[in-house]
Amino acid sequence: IFTMPMKSIRKILKVVQLDSIQDLEVNCIWKLATLSRFLPHLGRMGNLRRLLLSENCVNQLSAQFLNLPHLQELYLDSISFLEGRLHQVLRCLNTPLETLSITNCLISESDLTYLSQCPSVSLLKDLGLSGVNLTSLNLESLQVLIERTSATLQELDLDECGIMDSQFSALLPSLSGCSQLTTFSFCGNPISMAVLESLLHHTMGLSKLSHVLYPAPLESYEDVHGTLHLGLLAQLHARLKQLLCKSGRSSMFWVSASPCPHCGDQILYDTEPILCPCYLPD
């Protein structure tokens, strides 16, 4: 549901069998009065499995989670007032989630603590916190969450979280226990080569881990303005490839991705860089 008059939305919902809806995206900024007219319809979607809420009145919507016993995937994107209120969203869930994605939101340490203890996330297969700034937070609760989900977690996305070397190092022991992990992405974090090598060693025993998307290490930048030195990046990437081969994990796909400082597009590096036009000669 994107921006359109509530009258039009209600007309559509009247001709739809609501308990047959399994996937719903709500991308509207509604006033409370408008939202209140939508809530009864949401409460009748008893077979809903995937719900994406973007910049909405989450407090009111989350109360309807009690009426969604089959909800498996929850996506919260760009919710400006989520900080300090995550418990209000998740406490109404009455079934375990398989996917939880919180993107481009501010959250507090108390939110992380609640998340690590929430009964509905203990069986997560996919956890995404992309764009959630964690720089100033104690990530002990995130460690606990990763450990709690280590038997089921398959995909972990920590892109653009501002995670520093010391924070990332503290997460490594919990990551090493994620036996089902297949994909790990943590681009856009200021991580050094030493920590990347440590990650490689900690995850070497994860037989199902096949794709790792990592940031260009700090040593590959020419200056404080974020200009990549492609020669250095190539050397560092080759070093990681060499370590993978020596460990018998040459098939593991490690790709570096960092935003171009000029336009923001991703610069990827596997065996050769995939560059944005800013790096190409005129």
Side-chain angles (χ1 to χ4, degrees):
I1 299 174
F2 293 87
T3 303
M4 66 169 63
M6 176 53 69
K7 185 177 180 180
S8 301
I9 294 174
R10 293 177 71 183
K11 281 184 178 179
I12 295 171
L13 293 176
K14 281 182 179 179
V15 299
V16 173
Q17 191 171 345
L18 295 181
D19 62 1
S20 68
I21 295 175
Q22 297 184 15
D23 192 331
L24 175 67
E25 295 188 12
V26 181
N27 290 289
C28 304
I29 301 177
W30 285 331
K31 294 180 179 178
L32 191 57
T34 305
L35 178 65
S36 65
R37 294 199 295 272
F38 173 73
L39 290 179
H41 300 287
L42 177 62
R44 290 164 56 197
M45 299 178 189
N47 288 304
L48 194 66
R49 297 180 183 276
R50 178 182 179 274
L51 175 61
L52 185 151
L53 303 177
S54 179
E55 191 53 71
N56 223 300
C57 295
V58 174
N59 291 350
Q60 286 74 29
L61 282 172
S62 62
Q64 295 298 324
F65 290 169
L66 292 170
N67 300 318
L68 306 176
H70 300 290
L71 188 64
Q72 295 177 336
E73 301 179 27
L74 178 60
Y75 299 81
L76 304 173
D77 178 57
S78 302
I79 309 296
S80 60
F81 47 83
L82 190 64
E83 186 177 14
R85 299 183 177 91
L86 187 59
H87 66 286
Q88 296 177 12
V89 178
L90 299 182
R91 68 185 177 189
C92 293
L93 293 169
N94 54 15
T95 54
L97 291 173
E98 291 187 359
T99 297
L100 176 62
S101 176
I102 302 172
T103 55
N104 305 309
C105 299
L106 287 175
I107 65 172
S108 66
E109 213 155 285
S110 63
D111 290 325
L112 261 186
T113 300
Y114 180 82
L115 184 59
S116 69
Q117 300 169 352
C118 179
S120 296
V121 301
S122 59
L123 299 177
L124 281 179
K125 293 181 179 180
D126 187 347
L127 173 63
L129 296 175
S130 176
V132 175
N133 193 324
L134 302 175
T135 305
S136 60
L137 302 186
N138 183 335
L139 298 191
E140 185 176 339
S141 294
L142 182 55
Q143 289 176 250
V144 172
L145 176 60
I146 293 173
E147 289 170 3
R148 280 189 66 204
T149 58
S150 60
T152 57
L153 193 63
Q154 297 176 9
E155 297 186 22
L156 178 60
D157 183 352
L158 297 177
D159 286 353
E160 305 289 344
C161 289
I163 299 175
M164 313 295 283
D165 269 1
S166 58
Q167 294 173 303
F168 199 82
S169 296
L171 294 177
L172 294 181
S174 54
L175 281 171
S176 65
C178 295
S179 57
Q180 303 302 309
L181 194 65
T182 62
T183 304
F184 179 36
S185 181
F186 58 106
C187 300
N189 295 291
I191 303 297
S192 69
M193 185 63 181
V195 171
L196 285 178
E197 290 189 19
S198 184
L199 169 67
L200 189 149
H201 291 302
H202 273 84
T203 57
M204 202 60 67
L206 302 181
S207 60
K208 295 187 177 181
L209 183 60
S210 57
H211 289 78
V212 177
L213 200 60
Y214 66 95
L218 294 174
E219 294 86 347
S220 59
Y221 288 96
E222 292 183 8
D223 50 46
V224 295
H225 303 295
T227 305
L228 271 176
H229 188 296
L230 296 178
L232 287 174
L233 179 58
Q235 293 175 24
L236 296 172
H237 184 76
R239 166 67 178 161
L240 290 173
K241 286 284 190 180
Q242 184 182 43
L243 291 173
L244 285 169
C245 289
K246 283 185 177 180
S247 304
R249 295 299 306 275
S250 57
S251 61
M252 193 187 294
F253 191 61
W254 276 59
V255 180
S256 174
S258 293
C260 169
H262 304 292
C263 66
D265 287 349
Q266 289 285 8
I267 298 172
L268 300 177
Y269 199 104
D270 181 22
T271 52
E272 295 291 339
I274 303 173
L275 301 177
C276 72
C278 300
Y279 276 81
L280 300 178
D282 295 331

